[in-house]
Amino acid sequence: MQSEKPPIMWLPVTVFLFTTIVTVIGVPWYGYAVGYSGAMWLAAILVLGANGMSITAGYHRLWAHNSYRAHWSLRLLFALFGAAATQNSILVWASGHRRHHRHVDDNERDPYSAKRGFFFSHIGWMLRAYPSGKVDFSNVKDLQRDPIVVWQHKHYVVLAIAMNFIPALALGWLLGDIVAGALLIGFLRLVVSHHTTFFINSLAHIWGRRPYTEANTARDNDVLAFFTYGEGYHNYHHLFQGDYRNGVKWWQYDPTKWLIFVASKLGLASKLKRTPAAKINQAMIETQLKRAEETFKSKPLSLRFSDQIALESMRFQQQLQHWKELRLSWVEAQKELMEQRGEELRSMAETELLVISEKLAALEFEIKQQRKRMIRFVNRLAAC
Ligand SMILES: [Zn+2]
Ligand SMILES: [Zn+2]
């Protein structure tokens, strides 16, 4: 336990206090006295979206996790609109975030450990000079090779001020009300943008389900995903941080994933990393198996269930082993196809690859069914 609290960081404290006070008092007051046009609201939402997605698709998935490659023009946009989100430079942000993933829930080393409570993980960690938040760039050496990242870091303060003031005042002027522009596009937009990102460090580690892993506090939450451009699928993200997707199911709301995908179709993004479906199912099955074992231990259930857990576990281990072997031969077959030059040899290699692919797809379907069966089984156990 620390006996003395670390010193207060007055710059962030002032920025948070000032923007919050103006937003809470100034925005409703002006709305009541003068009013805001629909166009002004729309402009504020668009600028908010540009800031938010620059953090999610840029700062987070591109720079902190290298989950894809982006063209310089896209990186420049992310660097500019990300600066407007006023969450420090890409370099500082990504370094802290990589430490968060590496030491998640460790109160000493995770800069915004959720185990230190809601307030600390939401905003408290930025208000005092916590040693865990100390900037150490040794884990972002790769980013120091990106000239846009280096440039943004060097001019961060000027860029943050310019990108906060210029769009707000210019759009306000264009739409005929500079004060309304400053209030909605300047202040309100910044406060909302701040807290939606901060919710990922606080609420997304407290509220929601854990389908992929229970090894850390990260949660999947559809409501949060809606407000954070898809970042609410945080349980998935903590396990598969290299994946450019956070909401991996087709029905999950992840506009950041869609933006990156569309950018790849336009030639602005490449090398999108995806976790193979069988690996995702494996994580889910293992989590269900663990849950089944824990429920069995904590409840006086009949031995019949214990046998069933062992059986399901064995069945899954066999499927997993088979999947690993098939996947290996699939990789080999693909390599072989690339190496074949002659027409006839190529077509033979193609047929082989097709056969393995079909087997792999069938097995992946089986694993998916196994996952569904496990979920039903655990629910039945819990209801006993
Ligand atoms: Zn997290
Ligand atoms: Zn992350």
PDB file of all heavy atoms in Angstrom, residues 3 5 15 25 67 96 127 155 179 207 217 223 237 245 270 289 297 303 333 357 367:
ATOM      1  N   SER A   3       1.679   4.921   1.094  1.00  0.00           N
ATOM      2  CA  SER A   3       1.250   5.756   2.205  1.00  0.00           C
ATOM      3  C   SER A   3       0.904   7.163   1.717  1.00  0.00           C
ATOM      4  O   SER A   3      -0.017   7.794   2.205  1.00  0.00           O
ATOM      5  CB  SER A   3       2.351   5.802   3.270  1.00  0.00           C
ATOM      6  OG  SER A   3       3.564   6.161   2.634  1.00  0.00           O
ATOM      7  N   LYS A   5      -0.049   9.779  -1.543  1.00  0.00           N
ATOM      8  CA  LYS A   5      -0.545   9.751  -2.918  1.00  0.00           C
ATOM      9  C   LYS A   5       0.437  10.485  -3.833  1.00  0.00           C
ATOM     10  O   LYS A   5       1.031  11.479  -3.422  1.00  0.00           O
ATOM     11  CB  LYS A   5      -1.908  10.418  -2.971  1.00  0.00           C
ATOM     12  CG  LYS A   5      -2.993   9.531  -2.394  1.00  0.00           C
ATOM     13  CD  LYS A   5      -4.360  10.046  -2.740  1.00  0.00           C
ATOM     14  CE  LYS A   5      -5.393   8.995  -2.413  1.00  0.00           C
ATOM     15  NZ  LYS A   5      -6.743   9.418  -2.733  1.00  0.00           N
ATOM     16  N   VAL A  15      -7.676  20.528 -17.919  1.00  0.00           N
ATOM     17  CA  VAL A  15      -8.376  20.290 -19.196  1.00  0.00           C
ATOM     18  C   VAL A  15      -9.714  19.577 -18.930  1.00  0.00           C
ATOM     19  O   VAL A  15     -10.769  19.991 -19.427  1.00  0.00           O
ATOM     20  CB  VAL A  15      -7.501  19.461 -20.173  1.00  0.00           C
ATOM     21  CG1 VAL A  15      -8.308  19.005 -21.379  1.00  0.00           C
ATOM     22  CG2 VAL A  15      -6.294  20.268 -20.623  1.00  0.00           C
ATOM     23  N   ILE A  25     -22.551  23.305 -18.112  1.00  0.00           N
ATOM     24  CA  ILE A  25     -23.297  24.554 -17.899  1.00  0.00           C
ATOM     25  C   ILE A  25     -23.571  25.274 -19.225  1.00  0.00           C
ATOM     26  O   ILE A  25     -24.705  25.625 -19.530  1.00  0.00           O
ATOM     27  CB  ILE A  25     -22.526  25.486 -16.927  1.00  0.00           C
ATOM     28  CG1 ILE A  25     -22.380  24.765 -15.569  1.00  0.00           C
ATOM     29  CG2 ILE A  25     -23.250  26.829 -16.755  1.00  0.00           C
ATOM     30  CD1 ILE A  25     -21.470  25.468 -14.606  1.00  0.00           C
ATOM     31  N   SER A  67      -2.602  -4.526 -36.241  1.00  0.00           N
ATOM     32  CA  SER A  67      -3.490  -5.572 -36.755  1.00  0.00           C
ATOM     33  C   SER A  67      -3.728  -5.450 -38.274  1.00  0.00           C
ATOM     34  O   SER A  67      -4.389  -6.287 -38.863  1.00  0.00           O
ATOM     35  CB  SER A  67      -4.824  -5.552 -36.011  1.00  0.00           C
ATOM     36  OG  SER A  67      -5.534  -4.389 -36.305  1.00  0.00           O
ATOM     37  N   GLY A  96       1.342   2.960 -23.506  1.00  0.00           N
ATOM     38  CA  GLY A  96       0.530   2.648 -22.326  1.00  0.00           C
ATOM     39  C   GLY A  96      -0.415   1.495 -22.592  1.00  0.00           C
ATOM     40  O   GLY A  96      -0.590   0.598 -21.760  1.00  0.00           O
ATOM     41  N   LEU A 127      -4.851  11.552 -13.583  1.00  0.00           N
ATOM     42  CA  LEU A 127      -4.884  12.754 -12.761  1.00  0.00           C
ATOM     43  C   LEU A 127      -3.688  12.886 -11.828  1.00  0.00           C
ATOM     44  O   LEU A 127      -3.406  13.957 -11.327  1.00  0.00           O
ATOM     45  CB  LEU A 127      -6.184  12.795 -11.936  1.00  0.00           C
ATOM     46  CG  LEU A 127      -7.476  12.651 -12.754  1.00  0.00           C
ATOM     47  CD1 LEU A 127      -8.692  12.757 -11.853  1.00  0.00           C
ATOM     48  CD2 LEU A 127      -7.548  13.717 -13.846  1.00  0.00           C
ATOM     49  N   HIS A 155       4.871  17.393 -32.504  1.00  0.00           N
ATOM     50  CA  HIS A 155       4.025  18.599 -32.570  1.00  0.00           C
ATOM     51  C   HIS A 155       2.676  18.365 -31.917  1.00  0.00           C
ATOM     52  O   HIS A 155       1.697  19.031 -32.257  1.00  0.00           O
ATOM     53  CB  HIS A 155       3.834  19.022 -34.033  1.00  0.00           C
ATOM     54  CG  HIS A 155       5.125  19.208 -34.755  1.00  0.00           C
ATOM     55  ND1 HIS A 155       5.949  20.283 -34.519  1.00  0.00           N
ATOM     56  CD2 HIS A 155       5.753  18.454 -35.684  1.00  0.00           C
ATOM     57  CE1 HIS A 155       7.033  20.181 -35.276  1.00  0.00           C
ATOM     58  NE2 HIS A 155       6.936  19.079 -35.991  1.00  0.00           N
ATOM     59  N   VAL A 179     -20.508  30.543 -31.775  1.00  0.00           N
ATOM     60  CA  VAL A 179     -20.596  30.125 -30.365  1.00  0.00           C
ATOM     61  C   VAL A 179     -21.174  28.704 -30.279  1.00  0.00           C
ATOM     62  O   VAL A 179     -20.660  27.851 -29.552  1.00  0.00           O
ATOM     63  CB  VAL A 179     -21.465  31.117 -29.551  1.00  0.00           C
ATOM     64  CG1 VAL A 179     -21.568  30.677 -28.095  1.00  0.00           C
ATOM     65  CG2 VAL A 179     -20.873  32.512 -29.641  1.00  0.00           C
ATOM     66  N   TRP A 207     -18.387  -4.713 -16.682  1.00  0.00           N
ATOM     67  CA  TRP A 207     -19.772  -5.022 -17.043  1.00  0.00           C
ATOM     68  C   TRP A 207     -19.820  -5.789 -18.368  1.00  0.00           C
ATOM     69  O   TRP A 207     -19.400  -5.263 -19.390  1.00  0.00           O
ATOM     70  CB  TRP A 207     -20.542  -3.689 -17.150  1.00  0.00           C
ATOM     71  CG  TRP A 207     -21.952  -3.807 -17.601  1.00  0.00           C
ATOM     72  CD1 TRP A 207     -22.833  -4.804 -17.355  1.00  0.00           C
ATOM     73  CD2 TRP A 207     -22.655  -2.847 -18.415  1.00  0.00           C
ATOM     74  NE1 TRP A 207     -24.042  -4.533 -17.939  1.00  0.00           N
ATOM     75  CE2 TRP A 207     -23.963  -3.349 -18.583  1.00  0.00           C
ATOM     76  CE3 TRP A 207     -22.306  -1.611 -19.002  1.00  0.00           C
ATOM     77  CZ2 TRP A 207     -24.925  -2.651 -19.326  1.00  0.00           C
ATOM     78  CZ3 TRP A 207     -23.265  -0.929 -19.730  1.00  0.00           C
ATOM     79  CH2 TRP A 207     -24.562  -1.449 -19.879  1.00  0.00           C
ATOM     80  N   THR A 217     -10.070  -9.439 -16.495  1.00  0.00           N
ATOM     81  CA  THR A 217     -11.373  -8.822 -16.195  1.00  0.00           C
ATOM     82  C   THR A 217     -12.113  -8.326 -17.447  1.00  0.00           C
ATOM     83  O   THR A 217     -13.251  -7.870 -17.334  1.00  0.00           O
ATOM     84  CB  THR A 217     -11.195  -7.616 -15.239  1.00  0.00           C
ATOM     85  OG1 THR A 217     -10.220  -6.740 -15.816  1.00  0.00           O
ATOM     86  CG2 THR A 217     -10.740  -8.054 -13.861  1.00  0.00           C
ATOM     87  N   VAL A 223     -23.813  -2.968 -25.504  1.00  0.00           N
ATOM     88  CA  VAL A 223     -24.179  -1.557 -25.301  1.00  0.00           C
ATOM     89  C   VAL A 223     -22.934  -0.688 -25.447  1.00  0.00           C
ATOM     90  O   VAL A 223     -22.938   0.327 -26.152  1.00  0.00           O
ATOM     91  CB  VAL A 223     -24.813  -1.343 -23.899  1.00  0.00           C
ATOM     92  CG1 VAL A 223     -25.168   0.115 -23.675  1.00  0.00           C
ATOM     93  CG2 VAL A 223     -26.039  -2.230 -23.718  1.00  0.00           C
ATOM     94  N   HIS A 237     -11.134  -9.094 -27.565  1.00  0.00           N
ATOM     95  CA  HIS A 237      -9.952  -8.310 -27.917  1.00  0.00           C
ATOM     96  C   HIS A 237      -8.747  -8.628 -27.030  1.00  0.00           C
ATOM     97  O   HIS A 237      -7.616  -8.686 -27.506  1.00  0.00           O
ATOM     98  CB  HIS A 237     -10.281  -6.819 -27.868  1.00  0.00           C
ATOM     99  CG  HIS A 237      -9.093  -5.953 -28.066  1.00  0.00           C
ATOM    100  ND1 HIS A 237      -8.365  -5.966 -29.244  1.00  0.00           N
ATOM    101  CD2 HIS A 237      -8.454  -5.093 -27.243  1.00  0.00           C
ATOM    102  CE1 HIS A 237      -7.351  -5.129 -29.122  1.00  0.00           C
ATOM    103  NE2 HIS A 237      -7.371  -4.588 -27.914  1.00  0.00           N
ATOM    104  N   ARG A 245     -10.439  -7.221 -36.022  1.00  0.00           N
ATOM    105  CA  ARG A 245     -11.849  -7.162 -35.616  1.00  0.00           C
ATOM    106  C   ARG A 245     -11.936  -7.273 -34.085  1.00  0.00           C
ATOM    107  O   ARG A 245     -11.134  -7.948 -33.467  1.00  0.00           O
ATOM    108  CB  ARG A 245     -12.625  -8.346 -36.213  1.00  0.00           C
ATOM    109  CG  ARG A 245     -12.413  -8.529 -37.692  1.00  0.00           C
ATOM    110  CD  ARG A 245     -12.732  -9.944 -38.148  1.00  0.00           C
ATOM    111  NE  ARG A 245     -11.946 -10.964 -37.472  1.00  0.00           N
ATOM    112  CZ  ARG A 245     -12.114 -12.263 -37.621  1.00  0.00           C
ATOM    113  NH1 ARG A 245     -13.051 -12.716 -38.431  1.00  0.00           N
ATOM    114  NH2 ARG A 245     -11.362 -13.125 -36.987  1.00  0.00           N
ATOM    115  N   SER A 270      -4.007  -2.895 -45.832  1.00  0.00           N
ATOM    116  CA  SER A 270      -3.630  -4.242 -46.285  1.00  0.00           C
ATOM    117  C   SER A 270      -3.205  -5.083 -45.090  1.00  0.00           C
ATOM    118  O   SER A 270      -3.116  -4.580 -43.972  1.00  0.00           O
ATOM    119  CB  SER A 270      -2.487  -4.140 -47.293  1.00  0.00           C
ATOM    120  OG  SER A 270      -1.379  -3.535 -46.672  1.00  0.00           O
ATOM    121  N   LEU A 289     -15.716 -25.397 -20.755  1.00  0.00           N
ATOM    122  CA  LEU A 289     -15.278 -26.587 -19.999  1.00  0.00           C
ATOM    123  C   LEU A 289     -14.854 -26.204 -18.590  1.00  0.00           C
ATOM    124  O   LEU A 289     -15.209 -26.860 -17.614  1.00  0.00           O
ATOM    125  CB  LEU A 289     -14.100 -27.252 -20.710  1.00  0.00           C
ATOM    126  CG  LEU A 289     -14.445 -28.276 -21.778  1.00  0.00           C
ATOM    127  CD1 LEU A 289     -13.199 -28.698 -22.527  1.00  0.00           C
ATOM    128  CD2 LEU A 289     -15.110 -29.508 -21.158  1.00  0.00           C
ATOM    129  N   LYS A 297     -17.746 -28.425  -9.185  1.00  0.00           N
ATOM    130  CA  LYS A 297     -17.062 -28.399  -7.890  1.00  0.00           C
ATOM    131  C   LYS A 297     -17.882 -27.650  -6.846  1.00  0.00           C
ATOM    132  O   LYS A 297     -17.908 -28.014  -5.682  1.00  0.00           O
ATOM    133  CB  LYS A 297     -15.698 -27.710  -8.044  1.00  0.00           C
ATOM    134  CG  LYS A 297     -14.598 -28.707  -8.370  1.00  0.00           C
ATOM    135  CD  LYS A 297     -13.246 -28.026  -8.303  1.00  0.00           C
ATOM    136  CE  LYS A 297     -12.417 -28.389  -9.515  1.00  0.00           C
ATOM    137  NZ  LYS A 297     -11.507 -27.361  -9.936  1.00  0.00           N
ATOM    138  N   LEU A 303     -22.539 -37.608  -9.933  1.00  0.00           N
ATOM    139  CA  LEU A 303     -21.303 -37.974 -10.626  1.00  0.00           C
ATOM    140  C   LEU A 303     -21.495 -38.115 -12.132  1.00  0.00           C
ATOM    141  O   LEU A 303     -20.561 -38.028 -12.898  1.00  0.00           O
ATOM    142  CB  LEU A 303     -20.770 -39.285 -10.051  1.00  0.00           C
ATOM    143  CG  LEU A 303     -19.986 -39.126  -8.747  1.00  0.00           C
ATOM    144  CD1 LEU A 303     -19.638 -40.487  -8.186  1.00  0.00           C
ATOM    145  CD2 LEU A 303     -18.715 -38.315  -8.986  1.00  0.00           C
ATOM    146  N   ALA A 333      -0.062 -27.795 -48.117  1.00  0.00           N
ATOM    147  CA  ALA A 333      -0.663 -27.932 -49.453  1.00  0.00           C
ATOM    148  C   ALA A 333      -0.671 -26.590 -50.177  1.00  0.00           C
ATOM    149  O   ALA A 333      -0.467 -26.524 -51.392  1.00  0.00           O
ATOM    150  CB  ALA A 333      -2.080 -28.481 -49.332  1.00  0.00           C
ATOM    151  N   SER A 357      -9.169 -28.521 -47.693  1.00  0.00           N
ATOM    152  CA  SER A 357     -10.019 -27.390 -47.295  1.00  0.00           C
ATOM    153  C   SER A 357     -11.406 -27.870 -46.904  1.00  0.00           C
ATOM    154  O   SER A 357     -11.978 -27.398 -45.912  1.00  0.00           O
ATOM    155  CB  SER A 357     -10.163 -26.382 -48.437  1.00  0.00           C
ATOM    156  OG  SER A 357      -8.920 -25.836 -48.729  1.00  0.00           O
ATOM    157  N   ILE A 367     -16.573 -28.526 -34.650  1.00  0.00           N
ATOM    158  CA  ILE A 367     -16.094 -27.829 -33.445  1.00  0.00           C
ATOM    159  C   ILE A 367     -17.117 -26.771 -33.024  1.00  0.00           C
ATOM    160  O   ILE A 367     -17.377 -26.579 -31.841  1.00  0.00           O
ATOM    161  CB  ILE A 367     -14.695 -27.217 -33.685  1.00  0.00           C
ATOM    162  CG1 ILE A 367     -13.666 -28.341 -33.864  1.00  0.00           C
ATOM    163  CG2 ILE A 367     -14.283 -26.317 -32.530  1.00  0.00           C
ATOM    164  CD1 ILE A 367     -12.253 -27.882 -34.166  1.00  0.00           C
TER     165      ILE A 367
END
